[in-house]
Each structure stands twice: as C-alpha cells, then as structure tokens.
Amino acid sequence: MRFPSCKGLAAAKFVFLVQFLLPSTQGVAFDPVPPPNLNLDQLGRVALTGNFDSISLYSYRQQSENAFSNNGSQALITQLPNGDFTPAATADAYIKTMCPFIMDTGQLAGVVVGGNFTSLKGIETQGVAMYDPNTSNVTPLPGLLGQVSVVYCDQDTNTVYVGGDFKGADSTNAIGWVGMSGWANLPFAGFNGPVDSITKAPNGNIIFGGTFTGLGNNTAAPQKRDPQIINLSSANISSKSSNDATGFNDPRNIICKTGGNDGPSSTWLLEDKTTGFWRADLNFGFQPTRLRLWNTRQGGRGTKTFRFTALPINGIMNLTYIDPVTNEETPCDASGARCPLSNNASLKYQDFTFVNRVGMSAFQIDISDWYGDGAGLNGIELVQDDIYAFAVPDLNEPTCANIDFGSNSTPTGPWTTAPSALSNSQYLRADLSAQDVQSAKASVIFMPDIKQKGNYSVNVYTPGCLQDGSCGSRGIANVTATFTEKGAPIPPQQIYQTNYYDKYDQIYYGPVDVNSRSFRASVTLTPLTQQGKGITLVAQRVQFIPTSSTDGLNGIFEFDPNDETLLTDFSKSKFDQAGTALERGAIVTSLAVADGITYVGGNFSATSGEFKNIFAVTDGNATSLPNGGLNQPVATLEVFGDLLYIGGNFTNTANGTVAGLNNFAAYNTVSQSWVALGSGVRGRVNTIVPLQLNVTDNQPETCITVNGHFDQLEAFGSALAVAVQGFGVWVPSRQNWLQNLDLNTRTVTGKLSTTTNITGSSPLLAGTISSQGVPDAQGAVSLTSKPLQLNSLGIKIQPQQVTSPIRKRAVSGQNVTGAVTGLFHKNGKLNVTVVGGHFTAAASNGSTINNLAFINGTGAVSGIGSGLDDDSVFLALGTQADILYAGGTISGNVYDAAINGLILYDLALDNFAFPQPPALGGDNVAVNAISTRPKSTQVYVAGQFDTAGSLGCPSVCVFDKGQWTQPGSGLGGSVAALTWQGNDKLLAGGNISVNGNATTLANYDTNTLQWTALDDAATVIPGPVTALEQASDDVSQFWVAGKSTNGSAFLLKYDGSKFRTIGDNGMLGDQTTIRGLSMMNLNEDHDKNDLVPQRMVLLVTGSLNLANFGNASAALFDGTSFAPFILSTSGNGPGTLSQLFSEKTVNFRVSGGRLAKGFIVLIGLACALGTVFLLVVAGILLERYRRRAAGYQPAPTTYPDKTSNMGRIPPDQLFGRLGQRDEPPML
C-alpha cells in the first residue's frame, strides 16, 4: 500500500522489533495446581454451606476469586481448561475492541487491544496496546492521545486500522499501524469526527463508520483564532534583577494591564543596564499560540530584545511578528530566537505568533537588551487556540480581562484543590460519604468561552488516580450538558474515574451555540447516585474542539489502499454515496459483512424515508432491510451463522409490523426476514459477544451474550420475565435464554465488550465477568474425593439480607446470609440432609422455602411450613434420635406457643415436634451452637440468652426428657462454639465470662457441675472465639479462630499445654474472616511438623485473604502454609463458606498410617493378652503329651456302687467324737 511520508511521523514511530518478539501461534499455557489428595472415605457424605452463587475448586494458578468489576475497569479474559474464566490482563477502564494482527508473513504479531484505558496489566498505555496471547505480556503502542473505539487487522495490507476519538502523529480519529514499524498517517489523515466501526468490504476496501462529515486533511480551521486568554493572575510570578524602585519592582504589575500606561504599579522595570527575566509558573498546562507585549517607556526605558523559553522543557520558542516598518510577517532572529520589541510610541502593543505548538506549564521572558537606561514592560498577555473550562475557578480566563463570556466554573460542595502532580493541571477532589453520594451534594458546572457557532467535539478530562492514591475509592461521575439554546440537554452520561493515568472521554460531537446574554453552553459533573458507599470524586477540565461542519461525507467512508482517487471524488464510492443519501448528522455505530453483503447500523434515516437505522450495501447499492429497518438506533451488529444479531435501543421495525424485537433481535440473511429472540430485553443493548459454554456435559456450544443497560429479559411463550443486571445469555440451539433453562452448565455473570478468535488458542474475551465451575450450586454443595470435585446438592439458595436491627445485633460478626449450617441425618430408612441459614429456595412442589430446607433421599426439597417469621436466621443444627434441634435468631409461633431462639422438628413425622421447649429469653437471643453429649440424650444449647422458660440458664442450657436444666453456674456472655473432650467434659468458646471474669474459653465438668476458665485463654487469645475444632482424638489439643479486637482474624492451636499462634507472619490478610475449621485426612503425607499430623490437614473456611494469592473461600493448612482450596463468588463480590459438615467424624491418625497412641496402647494390651492365652494353651497341650508318653492313663469316669459300703461304719463312730478336740476322729 502507499502511505506518503508525513511531517511528525518519525516522532510517532519507534523500533518495535526489539521490544516485541513474534510469538508462536501456540496458546498460553495454564498451570494446573496439584490436587490436595483428600481422603473423604471415612466421612461418608460431605457438604459445604455458605453465601455464594458460583463456586469451584482451585485447580489452576490463573484462577482467582475476584468478582467482575463494576467500577468501569475491564480485563482481557481467557477460559481455563476447567471452564472457568480468568483475567489475563486488567485495564483501568473499558476495553472496546481487539483483533489478532496476523502479518503478511503469516506470523501473529499479537492481539491489538483498544479502549479508553490508560493502563493495561499495570503498564501505562494510552488507549491501545499489543497483547501476546502466548506469554500474556503487554507492549504499549505510544503515540496516540485519546480513546480507541475500533481496530481492524488486515493481513493483506499488513496494517492495523485504528479508529476512535484521538490524535496521533498528524492524524485525528483514524490512523494505521503498519507491520512492525509503527504508526503511519493514512493518506486522508483521519476524520473530523470520531470513528466507531471499521470493516473490510467484499471488494477489499476498508470501510469506516462514525460521526464525521469530512476527512482529517480537509478540516476547516476555526474562523476566529486565539479564542482563549491564559490566566496569568493565578500564576506564581517571579523575576530576576528587578529594579528596587518603589512601585516598579513587582513583576505582577504587568498582569491584566492592557492600557499600556507607564507609572507605579503599572510598570515593571529591570535594574538599569542589566539583563534579567520575567517568569510565570502556572497550575495547568497550555499550548500558547500568541504572545502580546506592552513595552514600557518609563523614563525613556524599554525592552529592546527578548526570547521566550518554555518550561519545564527549557525550550527556546520560535516566534514571528509583523514588522512595524515593512508591515510583513518576520521571524525572530534565528540565532538564539531573539525577538525585537519596538519602542515606537504609536504602537500600543506588539503581537508575536508561535511557530510551533508546544505544551508547557511555565515560561520565561529573557530580556537581553534595552532602550535608554534599562528594560521593562507595561503588560503581557498569552493566548491559546484551545477552549477549556477548568474546575478550579482560578485557572479559567481572568476576570480582569473584561471578556464578555469568559470561561468559568461553579463548584458546589466539599471540594478541595489537589495539586497537578503527574496531571496536566490542578483539579478538584471531593471525598464523599455515602449520604453525600446519594444526595449529589457535590457538583461542578463548566462554562466555556464559545466565540463562534459550529460543530464541536466535547471532551471531559479525568486526572489519574495513582498520583493521589485514590484508586481504591474512585467512583462514577454523572455528566449532563446543554449545548444549544433551543435543543434539549444531552442524555446523562457516566464516566468511570478509576483510570490510573490522565484520560479524557468524549461526551458529545455536534453543534454548539455561541455564548450570548440569553444562553451559555454548560457541562455539569456530579457523582452518580446509588453507588452504595462513599467515593472520591474528581473534576478537572472540559475541552471544546471546533470541527468543520461538512466536507462531503456523512458518517461512512470507503478507503481503497491502492487507489487514492477516492479521497477526492466521493461520487466514485457507493458507500460514500449511501452516506450522503442519509439525513445530515448520520451516526454509523456498527458495520458487519455476511455473504458478500455489508450491513450498516446506527442512528440515521434515509432522506427518501425508505429506511431507518440499518441498511445493506450489496452490488454497490444501498438497500433497505424488510419493513424499513428498525424504529430506533442500532448500537451493535454481530454475525453468527445465518443470523445477523442486532442490539440497540429499538422495539420494533420502522413500520411497526414485527413484535418482540425489544432491543435485541436478529435478521436472517438467507431468508431475509426478522427473527424475534424471545421477546428481547427491557433496556438498551450495547454489545453482543459470542461465548463458548458447555450447555450440556462436555458439549461446548457458541452462545450469544447480550450486554448493556437493561434490567429484565422479557417474558415470552411460557417463559416468565427474568430480572438481570445488564447481562443475558441467548442459547441459539434452545431458542431461549440460559437463565430460563435448567441446564447443567456454569454460572456466568458480568458484562462482555468484545471478543476475538486466535488461531491455536481459545477465544480471547474482554469485559468483566465472573464464573465458577459447579452448575446450579448456590449456597450449598457436596464434596467428593473420587474424583475430588464439588457437586450441587440439588437446591438453589437465594441469600436474604437481615433487615431487623435487633436481629442484626444478635448475629453480629457472623455470616447471616445464604446457607450457614447443615447436617446429614440417617436413621434406618430415614435419610435427610438439612440446610439452615437466611435464604429462600424453591421446594420441589413449587412453594417457597424460608431459611430451613430438607432434602430427602430421593432429592426432593421441602421446608418447615408456616409458623416462623421470615426474617429468622438458623445458625446451628443438631439431632437427638429423629428430633432436629435448630437454633439461631428464630422467632414465631408454633402450637400457639412463642418461639425464641430454638425449635424442635420431628424428621420422621416431617412436622414440628410437640410440645416445643419453653422459649429462651433475654436481649437479642441467639443460639449459636448445639451439641449432644456423647452416650447421652442430653442436648447442650449455647449462644446468647439469659433464661430457658422460667429457668435462669445463661449462655449454655441443657434440654433432656422434655425439660431445661442449667449446667453448673457462673457462666455468662455469648457462646459461639462447643466441642466435647470425652464423655464428661465440654469445651465452650466465645465472648464469655466465668464467675464474672472475662475469657474466651471455658470447660464444663459434668461430674463436678463446675465451669472453669481455660488457663491463659483470656490473655493469649486476642478476641472472641467463633470456631472450634479438635486437633487430637481426645480433644486435649484443639484449634480456635475468631476476630481480634483490632478486626483482624486469628487462628491458634492449643497443644495441651500452651497456645500457638498461626499466621503472625502475614499468611492471613487483614480482611480475613474465619467461619469454620475442620480436620481432614489425606492419602499421602506432607512434610513433618509439630502442628498438623503428616497425613492430616486443617480446612479453614470463611472469607479468606491469603498472602501471595488473594481471596479464597476455603484453604488447607498443613502446618506450614495455606493453600487455596475453594473459590466462590456472590453477586459482584467474593463468596463465603461457612462450614463443612459430614455424616461421620474424622479419624485421627499420624503419619504413615499408624494409629494414634491410645489405639496403639489398646492394641498392644490385646496382643499381650492373646500371647499369654496362646502360651497357656501350648503349655497344657505339651503337658498332656508328656504324661501320655510316660504311660499315665486317664482316671476312670465311672465308679462302682458307692452305697454298698455305707452300712459298714456306724454313724456314731464316724461323727460322734467330732466335738472332742483332743482326739482325732475315729473311722
């Protein structure tokens, strides 16, 4: 192709080959994480509860729990082999477009990414960059200032065509990146308005669409030059070698002095016969075009020669002037750029024009020669072509200049002035509370100095957040404006202020009326309401750029890279002619090509009235689509198969004959007919992006995501309306929304802006989406180990927020949304899974479940029926026989009895147990833990309460055989967790007291009926205990977790004699909250340590912030480090896991599979007894053998008649002398 050499192009090019090596077409490699080898066999069924709507195991290092952003920042997104989506490179603002740049050699140079970002993957890059999909490296493409809306990679011409609202080299709004060389001006130097779409027509030419009327090389200059005076009044003025004469030594004397009068306070003088300078340091950047000086004649003095130095670049500026003698434009002395200043009294002032436009924030007038005794000045004025209105009032045009309608601003609210730092100028900053945001108490009204009516491009500048450290709190600005006296205000626009570096956003392109006494154009900036929290709002400046009104084009332009005659004769192009056949002011937003036909969408009408907002160009002619097109503007087009998907702000065809085309519709390019997609959506669609999803198991399918400002998928057929937040997924094979289908696929939320296909790799997406891997898993999932995976429990839980202030206080510090607790109950044929918390769910019969759900062995889901208040929260579950004990912050009425804190439910009868226990009493009653004493029917209930019925029974109470009893005395406070240390000792943790002494752990002995505080617990444990878990079989060792008084999480192990703190080295971040602890077995040993047995691991659940990783919902601790295990999200934020529950308890074993010491002792004793028994048996057998060998015979087993001899001895002789002790009896 032929691109002419252009002045200034060299400055925009850079050596790219050295910085950017050509990658192969091999896609980026994902790093799998070794599985944790959990052994769940002995636990039976295992499940987890929490507050999440998507969840997955941590399987790849690229995974994260980061939710999609809603602060305006987006990311490049890749799909992992497990189907999850992960950000590959994060930007600080929108990513609007991208394409793979395959050069004419066939090699992939990279993916060109465009948008209004100022940073990509932490690298400063203004609006455009190159992304390497093989290494994920980002390379800036410097040289453009503004935002990029569209890129088109053309292998045939070895060029990336870039369009948007920017300046680069000598081009505006369109430019080319050629091969690996750099930026090159297109022959027509861009356009006089923004470019929104670029495509390649079937004839091979490049088609540009946008809001323009002429080419960049034919843009008319403003009719009036130098429209704005630079305010020197607010500058810091200094000088060197000022005269010490009173009234003449202040360099500020000459500011805003246009009369040219000599005298004190009007004239500034240098010392006689001395060189010197006059300097101004301003609080903003500027590009001056004209300098006006008033020379002094005080006492015959005057400045004879000077030069102008731009600061801080120390550049000596080239100036020209009108020679008063020849009346011709004359350059200043090329040697040192010294300019003469006349002392002719007839010349009131003298003007000097800058040859080059150079940015600066300060300048210096260096005086080198003088008239008479010395030099001096009576006045100075600096002017620029740029039209700005600054938020800081002192930076606008000076009031002393007597300008009728000078630029100004009106700030209202808690604004403070921030220094320019890395930015172009000072700006206003407001740190707003949530209340201030909601009421929009901060505002700035910008009013520019518009001296001529015409077309203008209006840009709002936003300073970067890195310079003032406000990136974490930056929010969204709402911008409204009025530009014409009789026209309506423009629709409100939102500007995300999270940019790391300075940026601008175009808010308007079109006519602006001149200022008058009856009208002034204005732009108003306020915070967007309903942002939910306090934000930092900034306001800097608004720029108005005049453009030509018409140069023969109307929103569309055809460029033939091999024939430049199209540049001057628009009649040769059918596309250009199609544009001129539209009403003036046409806006082309999207272009698409399908089957040799180019489709054009936007906001326009044909002058003939034949069509609106969309048409086709085929065989060189513009053709209407059926029914006259669409009745409202089109924002985006996307071709997939035979369908042209269309998004925008329409509701029907132009003639109103096709229903169901609400903002999202399709056009069949084969049958040439409109296709309703459901009934569309309620609200504007901005982008349509294809997305690969496993709609059925292992069957990836291209779905169509719809993104924009809509809140509902419209009802159609038997499908009900579905509430959404600007995101929907259309499944073409099912002709329905994914949200309506009961499919085994993952949850995807967020928004997408664009996508591109890369050879040899999965598609690259851009936007803000969040997805985790378990379909239909909301609030509760099961965990299996062969293979290790998460599965849905078959219940979709919708978390509810606690609204009652009293109930909020009762559950303070706990997770009270979603599923909080659960248990498995199996007794004979009864097999029930119970899930409790604060949620709603759908029962199998279609009814609504509140807060407590049952899943039977067949998968049927049911609830508890009526009687309890909907805002009840279940925090703890337990069973005794088939009776479920369910506790929390529960209230209601069952069997005409008040309920408070606890209910009993008969699982066998599927109904409330009768009678219910007497209600618990006290302030803010909450049951946090329930535990059945081993080998007993006693159920221990713990939490925050004072009485059980009429019985005083604070903190822990026992229910057995239909009545409450108090276990011991002296315990108080709030108990959060219980665990048994054998059959007779109970360990309780929380924020408690024993006999009036505060502590966090206490023991109860069921034999002595005494509570005792655990030694050192009150001093070593830094806050209330909220989680307990045994660390040995006899529970002489255990884990505790909770929140410190400073708000940070703690985790400690008691080893039988002392506490040991875990995580003091920063392993757990400040934002960590631990909800649950569970010891688990492994299939293989980990490295030996004295905290966790080698074939065991501690599962920590909650909302965790892990060092060198980030957010996780569950992690495994092996005694030395935490490994991320489960990631989840909830809405637009990280999710939370509350606890793990299982059918059976964990078996404690030491490394290598050997049993614990207690079992070893028992087995040893059994072995010893067995050995003794065997030795005895062997001895008996040996003795019998010996006797038999010696001839012994067994004694007879029968005897002769014993009674035959009984009469031979008289009884008196046998027994008569028994009482005589001196003689033996006689026989």
Side-chain angles (χ1 to χ4, degrees), residues 486-648:
K486 296 182 180 180
I490 66 170
Q493 298 190 42
Q494 285 73 54
I495 295 179
Y496 292 86
Q497 297 193 326
T498 53
N499 46 295
Y500 289 172
Y501 305 96
D502 285 13
K503 70 160 185 174
Y504 71 76
D505 293 272
Q506 184 190 59
I507 63 167
Y508 178 74
Y509 177 85
V512 178
D513 285 348
V514 67
N515 289 339
S516 67
R517 298 191 181 279
S518 61
F519 172 78
R520 288 207 64 173
S522 65
V523 176
T524 301
L525 184 147
T526 62
L528 182 68
T529 58
Q530 299 180 347
Q531 295 189 58
K533 62 179 181 178
I535 64 165
T536 297
L537 185 71
V538 293
Q540 188 180 52
R541 56 186 172 136
V542 176
Q543 183 184 26
F544 286 68
I545 303 174
T547 63
S548 63
S549 58
T550 178
D551 285 310
L553 296 177
N554 192 23
I556 191 168
F557 173 69
E558 180 181 9
F559 169 58
D560 184 349
N562 301 305
D563 184 1
E564 295 183 12
T565 61
L566 286 177
L567 301 179
T568 56
D569 188 356
F570 301 149
S571 64
K572 292 184 177 181
S573 167
K574 295 298 181 180
F575 285 93
D576 297 352
Q577 287 299 297
T580 58
L582 304 176
E583 298 284 352
R584 300 307 303 171
I587 300 173
V588 174
T589 56
S590 190
L591 300 166
V593 177
D595 299 328
I597 300 174
T598 303
Y599 295 90
V600 181
N603 185 3
F604 49 74
S605 298
T607 55
S608 63
E610 182 182 359
F611 56 81
K612 290 184 176 181
N613 302 310
I614 188 169
F615 66 90
V617 178
T618 178
D619 297 328
N621 297 308
T623 305
S624 173
L625 269 61
N627 310 101
L630 295 168
N631 63 351
Q632 293 294 329
V634 169
T636 182
L637 302 174
E638 182 69 33
V639 176
F640 180 70
D642 294 336
L643 295 183
L644 173 67
Y645 289 91
I646 307 168

Side-chain angles (χ1 to χ4, degrees), residues 827-913:
N827 186 12
K829 294 183 179 180
L830 186 62
N831 186 357
V832 181
T833 302
V834 187
V835 178
H838 192 51
F839 57 81
T840 61
S844 297
N845 63 7
S847 62
T848 298
I849 298 171
N850 288 303
N851 309 317
L852 190 64
F854 306 107
I855 308 169
N856 67 20
T858 64
V861 180
S862 61
I864 57 174
S866 61
L868 301 183
D869 295 337
D870 290 345
D871 63 348
S872 295
V873 181
F874 289 91
L875 302 173
L877 301 174
T879 57
Q880 172 58 43
D882 288 335
I883 301 300
L884 171 70
Y885 288 70
T889 59
I890 306 167
S891 59
N893 193 286
V894 176
Y895 298 131
D896 296 324
I899 298 297
N900 195 12
L902 180 74
I903 63 162
L904 270 59
Y905 194 85
D906 192 321
L907 296 174
L909 298 178
D910 193 18
N911 202 355
F912 289 103

